[in-house]
């Protein structure tokens, strides 16, 4: 890709493939797809330089619906394929589409290594807290007590937190969004602007097998008290700025406080700093109910990427050397197989 080549302006239609979009009516995947297609023209990127890679699951049909290059790979291995794509051509804009089952069960190991290596890509994890494609079994993020075909008496597993997993794996960008929320495009833009592995958990409603599981904070009537949209350099306020988060110095944990007369500073509300990893851990582990759901960019602190390090290493290794395939093949122990007489 020539950086000097002007990028022609695109529209959402330019990012829509000719394939019929097929998810269950009312699935949150439709909203995420539209949000991505609306966002891509604003990123200043080209469809022909963009690749969507998915694993297995409902969300993994995503590459079919984007007018870009794409791979629909195997269960949990999207990070491995995406790594190969990025190393083969570092100029490509690589997106990984995955689900809570795909990324955190059989794909947990691959997801962890992608994040710790810090490959320059965007990871969109659709979290509906259930296995949808295989007909409603409980997933790694399903809550205790979830009744499903595989847990008829209720799950006794403690659920995994995708964002806590990402931070623990060394991710340098962690964010959350909601499938139908107007702020999702802003989260996607922030993820794309980050140089490195950008991990975005998207709460996505499964209307068939886990309908309204997120309603306590996604429904319009619950949004004010249930959602805390974070913005770097801004106080952590919610419930129409009547409540906020403060740091309890005795327990070194977060607490909810009331804000009187809009004076958040006097109340002790803390200001969000996307580079504060310790507070990011607190935010992702806040129990919903006593606390709101932390949304937006929770952590953003770039460091050198895996792919840039590999490119530089290869450049240094090749410096002053001429490519000679024959010499490489003949290097070391070699032998020649002579033609053997035909034996009957």
């Amino acid at each position: 890709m020539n950086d000097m080549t002007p990028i022609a302006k695109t529209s959402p239609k330019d990012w829509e493939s000719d394939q019929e979009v097929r998810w269950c009516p009312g699935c949150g995947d439709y909203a995420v797809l539209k949000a991505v297609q609306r966002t891509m023209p604003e990123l200043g990127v080209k469809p022909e330089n963009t690749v969507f890679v998915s694993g297995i699951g409902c969300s993994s049909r995503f590459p079919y619906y984007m007018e870009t290059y794409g791979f629909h790979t195997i269960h949990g291995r999207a990070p491995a394929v995406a790594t190969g794509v990025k190393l083969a051509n570092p100029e490509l804009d690589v997106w990984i589409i995955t689900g809570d089952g795909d990324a955190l069960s059989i794909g947990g190991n691959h997801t962890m290594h992608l994040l710790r290596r810090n490959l320059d890509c965007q990871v969109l994890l659709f979290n509906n807290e259930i296995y949808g494609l295989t007909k409603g079994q409980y997933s790694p993020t399903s809550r205790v007590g979830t009744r499903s075909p595989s847990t008829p008496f209720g799950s006794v597993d403690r659920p995994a937190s995708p964002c806590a997993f990402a931070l623990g794996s060394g991710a340098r960008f962690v964010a959350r969004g909601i499938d139908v929320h107007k702020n999702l495009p802003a989260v996607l833009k922030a993820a794309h602007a980050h140089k490195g592995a950008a991990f975005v958990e998207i709460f996505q409603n499964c209307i068939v097998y886990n309908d309204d599981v997120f309603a306590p904070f996604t429904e319009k009537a619950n949004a004010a008290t249930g959602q805390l949209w974070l913005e770097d350099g801004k106080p952590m306020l919610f419930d129409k700025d009547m409540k906020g988060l403060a740091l309890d110095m005795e327990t070194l944990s977060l607490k909810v406080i009331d804000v009187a007369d809009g004076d958040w500073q006097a109340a002790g509300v803390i200001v969000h700093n996307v580079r504060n990893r310790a507070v990011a851990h607190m935010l992702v582990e806040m129990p919903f109910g006593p606390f709101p759901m932390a949304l937006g960019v929770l952590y953003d602190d770039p460091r050198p990427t895996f792919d840039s390090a590999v490119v530089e290493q290869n450049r240094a290794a090749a410096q002053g050397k001429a490519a000679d395939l024959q010499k490489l093949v003949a290097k070391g122990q070699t032998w020649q197989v002579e033609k053997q007489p035909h034996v009957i």
Side-chain angles (χ1 to χ4, degrees):
M1 180 174 66
N2 187 347
D3 292 337
M4 301 302 293
T5 303
I7 296 176
K9 188 175 182 181
T10 61
S11 70
K13 283 289 183 183
D14 294 317
W15 296 86
E16 298 175 10
S17 77
D18 60 0
Q19 298 299 298
E20 179 187 359
V21 182
R22 299 185 64 181
W23 284 304
C24 298
C27 175
D29 288 0
Y30 286 98
V32 180
L33 175 64
K34 284 298 180 185
V36 172
Q37 290 171 339
R38 289 197 306 268
T39 303
M40 297 305 287
E42 301 179 27
L43 300 179
V45 294
K46 300 177 181 180
E48 62 269 28
N49 286 329
T50 305
V51 184
F52 281 83
V53 183
S54 66
I56 294 296
C58 295
S59 64
S60 295
R61 297 182 62 83
F62 207 94
Y64 293 103
Y65 308 137
M66 296 298 298
E67 188 58 26
T68 65
Y69 289 104
F71 288 90
H72 187 175
T73 69
I74 57 178
H75 206 184
R77 273 65 175 186
V81 175
T83 299
V85 170
K86 190 69 177 179
L87 292 183
N89 187 351
E91 297 299 324
L92 293 176
D93 188 18
V94 178
W95 297 72
I96 296 175
I97 306 297
T98 187
D100 48 305
D102 185 56
L104 299 179
S105 57
I106 192 170
N109 187 48
H110 291 273
T111 304
M112 175 185 71
H113 292 303
L114 178 103
L115 296 175
R116 73 167 179 83
R117 285 172 175 152
N118 198 34
L119 186 80
D120 187 21
C121 65
Q122 294 73 233
V123 182
L124 307 187
L125 186 148
F126 296 27
N127 184 11
N128 55 20
E129 295 189 0
I130 207 76
Y131 278 107
L133 187 65
T134 49
K135 306 302 182 280
Q137 299 86 352
Y138 85 116
S139 83
T141 58
S142 296
R143 303 173 194 190
V144 173
T146 297
R147 291 182 179 271
S148 75
S150 53
T151 53
F153 303 110
S155 169
V156 297
D157 278 7
R158 296 289 171 184
S161 165
C163 288
F165 173 88
L167 283 169
S169 298
R172 310 298 297 187
F173 180 101
V174 178
R176 279 184 180 144
I178 299 171
D179 51 8
V180 296
H181 202 281
K182 64 180 181 180
N183 288 357
L184 182 57
V187 174
L188 299 175
K189 291 177 188 176
H192 187 266
H194 176 87
K195 187 69 173 175
F199 181 90
V200 181
E201 176 187 12
I202 302 174
F203 295 109
Q204 177 260 319
N205 190 49
C206 177
I207 196 169
V208 176
Y209 297 111
N210 214 15
D211 193 25
D212 288 338
V213 69
F214 303 121
F217 66 87
T218 59
E219 287 293 320
K220 187 175 181 180
N222 304 325
T225 57
Q227 298 177 15
L228 168 61
W229 282 95
L230 299 162
E231 189 174 349
D232 190 33
K234 298 294 181 66
M236 297 186 186
L237 295 167
F238 65 102
D239 196 8
K240 299 179 181 178
D241 296 346
M242 295 176 62
K243 294 183 182 295
L245 296 184
L247 188 62
D248 188 326
M249 297 306 296
E250 291 185 6
T251 61
L252 290 180
S253 61
L254 296 175
K255 62 181 179 180
V256 175
I257 57 173
D258 294 319
V259 177
D261 301 322
D263 193 347
W264 59 267
Q265 290 175 305
V269 175
I270 61 176
V271 172
H272 184 43
N273 179 357
V274 293
R275 290 158 294 283
N276 191 322
R277 193 176 186 85
V279 173
H281 275 284
M282 295 181 193
L283 289 168
V284 302
E285 294 180 353
M286 291 190 307
F288 179 74
F291 291 90
M293 182 60 66
L295 300 159
V297 179
L298 289 82
Y299 181 64
D300 184 0
D301 190 14
R303 69 176 179 189
T305 66
F306 176 68
D307 43 295
S308 63
V310 170
V311 169
E312 176 55 27
Q313 186 180 65
N314 290 342
R315 186 200 64 77
Q319 192 169 12
K321 298 177 182 178
D324 189 336
L325 180 60
Q326 187 59 41
K327 183 178 179 181
L328 179 64
V329 171
K331 185 178 181 181
Q333 291 183 335
T334 62
W335 63 93
Q336 183 173 345
V337 179
E338 300 290 347
K339 184 178 180 180
Q340 298 297 316
H342 184 59
V343 179
I344 298 178

